[in-house]
Amino acid sequence: MAQECRAGELIPLDRVGIVRWRGDDPEGAIAVLTDLRSAEGEVNPLLQARRSYRALAPDPIPHETLVRLVEAAHLAPSCFNNQPWRFVIAEGEALERVKAALSGGNYWAKSAPAILALASHRDLDCKLSDGRDYYLFGCGMATGLLMIQATQIGLIAHPIAGYDPLAVKEVLGIPKEYVLITLIVVGKPGDVSTLSGKHRAIELGPRERKPLSAVLAWNKFTDLSQTEGT
Ligand SMILES: Cc1cc2nc3c(=O)[nH]c(=O)nc-3n(C[C@H](O)[C@H](O)[C@H](O)COP(=O)(O)O)c2cc1C
């Protein structure tokens, strides 16, 4: 039986590449297929495009778009499907008060039209006897999906750790016993000249990563400090 699909959505109907497309422009389907095909064997183009950019335009982001970002995050897998993520979207006066709690190095986030707070508590997710508390892991995965969704719609979603957590929790009414894991600064791309020289260089420079050999081993764990820089 054919699956329902929304306009502009591709639904794979089988594993040999037959898809169903509903939309006004059949060429849209061809463009999406071409993109997917050309990315075959490569890292997903959205993952390649995502960067923690800092130059943000102050243009407001519609509520439904912000909700869509959280919807994407909410599709993340979690231990026992516990869904430990709790988001608070700050706008207006709350946003201004959150901005006042940012650390100095995060001056650039003051032009953001919205900031999402992500909080959780270890009791909201699996706690295994060897110390594996999975709530932070689950929230990290949710954040990853949120960032990819943002990239897809041309938004920047930049997670940060530099803020006064007690002050932000107070502003947003997040219970003391929760961990305020990150703030996710959201906005459209803005003017790079507003950034410090250091940040402008990062913004316009190539993405920096350790070589894959420093983080990937086959069959036997490798002491990363031995391989770093190789
Ligand atoms: C948990 C976490 C905390 C971060 N905190 C900050 C921060 O306080 N300020 C900032 O400018 N960037 C922050 N970042 C962004 C990182 O600097 C950035 O992800 C890293 O340099 C890699 O760059 P990329 O995301 O563009 O690939 C943070 C990222 C993560 C995941």
Side-chain angles (χ1 to χ4, degrees):
M1 174 117 94
Q3 258 178 290
E4 270 307 304
C5 66
R6 286 180 292 189
E9 189 179 41
L10 276 173
I11 301 264
L13 285 188
D14 64 19
R15 291 183 183 276
V16 293
I18 298 173
V19 296
R20 181 158 176 252
W21 170 267
R22 205 181 86 192
D24 297 335
D25 58 332
E27 282 175 16
I30 293 166
V32 172
L33 285 171
T34 308
D35 278 2
L36 287 175
R37 193 178 164 71
S38 65
E40 216 173 89
E42 291 172 21
V43 171
N44 183 321
L46 290 174
L47 297 175
Q48 309 219 40
R50 185 211 62 80
R51 294 277 301 265
S52 293
Y53 290 117
R54 294 182 174 86
L56 300 172
D59 313 10
I61 307 293
H63 278 191
E64 55 270 29
T65 304
L66 294 170
V67 170
R68 196 79 66 242
L69 295 182
V70 177
E71 270 180 7
H74 198 35
L75 289 175
S78 57
C79 189
F80 267 90
N81 201 13
N82 280 325
Q83 305 159 51
W85 39 83
R86 301 290 182 268
F87 288 92
V88 183
I89 301 176
E91 279 191 324
E93 198 202 320
L95 176 62
E96 291 315 308
R97 292 178 62 202
V98 168
K99 287 179 179 177
L102 295 174
S103 54
N106 285 331
Y107 67 90
W108 52 270
K110 297 206 170 177
S111 50
I115 294 182
L116 281 63
L118 172 54
S120 188
H121 188 284
R122 64 187 290 269
D123 292 349
L124 294 178
D125 210 341
C126 300
K127 293 178 282 188
L128 276 66
S129 58
D130 61 353
R132 277 177 288 153
D133 283 359
Y134 274 110
Y135 71 116
L136 298 173
F137 182 83
C139 287
M141 286 201 289
T143 304
L145 298 193
L146 185 153
M147 291 189 294
I148 294 309
Q149 177 73 19
T151 307
Q152 188 196 330
I153 54 180
L155 291 179
I156 293 159
H158 185 149
I160 58 168
Y163 49 82
D164 175 344
L166 293 182
V168 177
K169 280 160 81 170
E170 166 87 29
V171 168
L172 300 178
I174 296 168
K176 282 196 175 60
E177 60 275 18
Y178 275 57
V179 179
L180 177 54
I181 299 165
T182 187
L183 296 178
I184 305 170
V185 183
V186 175
K188 293 182 185 159
D191 181 0
V192 179
S193 72
T194 59
L195 300 178
S196 67
K198 176 184 140 194
H199 284 158
R200 204 175 315 134
I202 295 172
E203 195 90 349
L204 301 174
R207 171 133 65 185
E208 303 219 334
R209 283 295 184 273
K210 294 171 183 167
L212 205 56
S213 58
V215 298
L216 168 67
W218 291 82
N219 303 324
K220 189 174 190 309
F221 182 83
T222 308
D223 180 356
L224 305 184
S225 61
Q226 302 297 308
T227 55
E228 207 161 315
T230 57

